[in-house]
């Protein structure tokens, strides 16, 4: 097992603290303590907490997008197969790192985003937008604003995952199949 770098330790500590406490309630000394590095060590890598937040966010959303794109079935297959891949990819990513998902979805972080972080969000959303547009062109997805369609699916996913994570729902294969079908039915042309 490879030893992690100090920067990786700082990223891991910051991710957990930002996800659990939020940006404003997390201090650099807290991050240093959690990462088991000296407070001055953090400043060798990051000039301030906002820079750390932005670098960590960009890294996290890039990993999320890479996870969704891995093995993504390209055209000319039906958009339903692509929806299946995205739906399962969302849950797989969330299960592998719940704090990272919580961190990515923390609306308070956006107040501190630099242009590069905003661009990372746009790239992520662009991938999902493209899938929706292709589905609309195929006549499979409702002609509604893509933002509305994404909120139907992604918003439901976030709330469902919170319930799974808290143990309020059990992610059985049968339930996952039913949820996927339910969300597909919410955006498909009937």
């Amino acid at each position: 097992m490879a030893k992690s770098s100090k920067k990786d330790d700082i990223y891991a500590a910051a991710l957990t603290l930002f996800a659990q406490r939020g940006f404003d309630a997390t201090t650099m000394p807290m991050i240093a303590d959690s990462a088991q590095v000296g407070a001055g060590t953090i400043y060798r890598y990051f000039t301030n907490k906002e820079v750390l937040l932005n670098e960590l966010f960009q890294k996290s959303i890039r990993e999320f997008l890479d996870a969704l794109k891995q093995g993504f079935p390209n055209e000319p297959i039906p958009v339903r197969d692509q929806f299946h891949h995205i739906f399962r990819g969302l849950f797989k990513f969330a299960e592998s790192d719940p704090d990272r998902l919580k961190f990515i979805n923390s609306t308070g972080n956006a107040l501190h985003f630099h242009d590069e972080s905003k661009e990372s969000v746009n790239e992520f959303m662009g991938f999902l937008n493209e899938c929706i547009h292709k589905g609309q062109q195929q006549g499979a997805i409702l002609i509604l604003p893509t933002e509305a369609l994404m909120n139907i699916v992604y918003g439901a996913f976030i709330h469902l995952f919170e319930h799974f994570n808290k143990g309020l729902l059990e992610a059985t294969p049968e339930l996952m199949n039913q949820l996927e079908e339910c969300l597909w039915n919410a955006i498909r042309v009937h």
Side-chain angles (χ1 to χ4, degrees):
M1 189 167 168
K3 183 174 173 15
S4 63
S5 71
K6 287 183 181 183
K7 189 172 186 177
D8 289 338
D9 293 341
I10 293 166
Y11 276 144
L15 175 71
T16 299
L17 289 167
F18 288 153
Q20 294 173 359
R21 300 177 54 87
F23 176 79
D24 293 327
T26 301
T27 65
M28 290 295 260
M30 286 177 185
I31 296 168
D33 186 52
S34 181
Q36 298 179 348
V37 299
T41 302
I42 290 181
Y43 293 103
R44 287 187 205 140
Y45 298 102
F46 310 100
T47 54
N48 58 45
K49 185 171 70 164
E50 197 167 277
V51 169
L52 171 56
L53 172 89
N54 278 273
E55 283 190 30
L56 181 58
F57 179 80
Q58 291 163 37
K59 179 181 183 312
S60 296
I61 201 152
R62 187 173 45 253
E63 289 170 0
F64 195 8
L65 181 57
D66 289 347
L68 291 181
K69 285 183 171 181
Q70 185 176 8
F72 186 75
N74 289 309
E75 291 186 62
I77 68 156
V79 71
R80 176 64 179 94
D81 294 339
Q82 292 176 336
F83 181 86
H84 170 76
H85 180 86
I86 290 171
F87 178 83
R88 297 303 167 129
L90 290 171
F91 278 97
K92 185 177 178 183
F93 180 83
E95 288 173 342
S96 72
D97 199 343
D99 278 346
R100 188 170 306 275
L101 181 70
K102 187 174 182 182
F103 168 69
I104 288 170
N105 286 293
S106 175
T107 56
N109 293 337
L111 300 172
H112 306 281
F113 282 170
H114 299 160
D115 289 342
E116 295 86 1
S117 293
K118 292 174 185 172
E119 184 55 39
S120 295
V121 171
N122 290 339
E123 184 180 345
F124 183 84
M125 299 308 280
F127 170 72
L128 298 176
N129 273 328
E130 186 179 328
C131 294
I132 289 171
H133 285 293
K134 286 179 183 175
Q136 289 172 327
Q137 290 170 348
Q138 290 178 11
I141 294 180
L142 294 168
I143 304 297
L144 291 171
T146 55
E147 189 70 28
L149 294 168
M150 281 192 289
N151 277 305
I152 289 168
V153 176
Y154 192 75
F157 153 71
I158 291 298
H159 289 289
L160 286 166
F161 184 73
E162 285 175 7
H163 280 71
F164 290 132
N165 204 30
K166 291 176 183 175
L168 301 173
L169 286 173
E170 184 182 347
T172 64
E174 181 183 2
L175 179 59
M176 294 303 290
N177 289 337
Q178 291 171 337
L179 291 173
E180 179 183 335
E181 194 63 28
C182 184
L183 290 177
W184 172 248
N185 285 334
I187 66 168
R188 76 174 177 90
V189 171
H190 294 272

